[in-house]
Amino acid sequence: MRSGDGTGHPGTERWGAGSPSPTLALRLPYTGLSSLGGLPPALQRLLAAPTQLRWLDLSFNRLTAIDPVLATLGGLQSLHLHGNAVSCLSEVDKLAALARLRRLTLYGNPMEEERGYRRYVLALLPQLSTLDFSAVTQQERSEVALWGHTHTRPRPHRASA
């Protein structure tokens, strides 16, 4: 976890003298997490202002779904969920409330193989500047806008037999 140093980078905001310096970034990759059920109470204990968290790394865990608790972290600007086991593209819908989210990684999840994956995510989260560490171009935004008029929902996820 990092806190303020005044550089303006995620996790580096400086607060006034005598004020606790809130943690703005939290790294939890490779921790074996399969759910985020314990995240809210842990954030309350660890962070001065959990809703001010700007950067969260949950990459390379065993998450099979995007927990709705992430939508309560309204300050998130960067969210790393790559290398997990999320298979249903509609799970991304749970992130729609994150209006400040600018950087998102989802690659390495089975959902990435679904047809229209990138377009769907960008149509749902048009404020993203990068998806899967790749910049979103103006041409891509135009294509997504056209695509979004005809494709509003991904196909339902079907479990393998």
Side-chain angles (χ1 to χ4, degrees), residues 65-144:
I66 294 177
D67 196 296
V69 72
L70 294 176
T72 67
L73 303 174
L76 273 184
Q77 295 175 5
S78 186
L79 178 59
H80 293 193
L81 290 169
H82 57 276
N84 278 285
V86 182
S87 58
C88 187
L89 185 53
S90 64
E91 286 291 317
V92 178
D93 294 358
K94 297 172 185 173
L95 302 177
L98 297 176
R100 295 182 180 161
L101 192 64
R102 298 295 181 263
R103 294 167 298 281
L104 176 64
T105 62
L106 295 167
Y107 70 89
N109 282 281
M111 75 165 92
E112 181 185 26
E113 301 301 319
E114 286 196 42
R115 187 173 181 210
Y117 155 77
R118 187 170 173 92
R119 288 183 189 130
Y120 181 80
V121 174
L122 292 176
L124 182 69
L125 302 167
Q127 76 277 14
L128 291 179
S129 58
T130 64
L131 175 59
D132 296 335
F133 296 115
S134 177
V136 179
T137 66
Q138 190 56 48
Q139 178 179 345
E140 191 171 31
R141 288 187 193 286
S142 297
E143 291 170 1
V144 166

Side-chain angles (χ1 to χ4, degrees), residues 26-31 33 35-36 39 55-63 67 69-70 73 76 79-84 105:
L26 183 59
R27 293 181 177 181
L28 296 170
Y30 298 102
T31 54
L33 290 171
S35 80
L36 299 180
L39 188 64
W55 192 83
L56 180 58
D57 184 355
L58 296 168
S59 60
F60 300 107
N61 281 294
R62 295 181 298 198
L63 300 172
D67 196 296
V69 72
L70 294 176
L73 303 174
L76 273 184
L79 178 59
H80 293 193
L81 290 169
H82 57 276
N84 278 285
T105 62

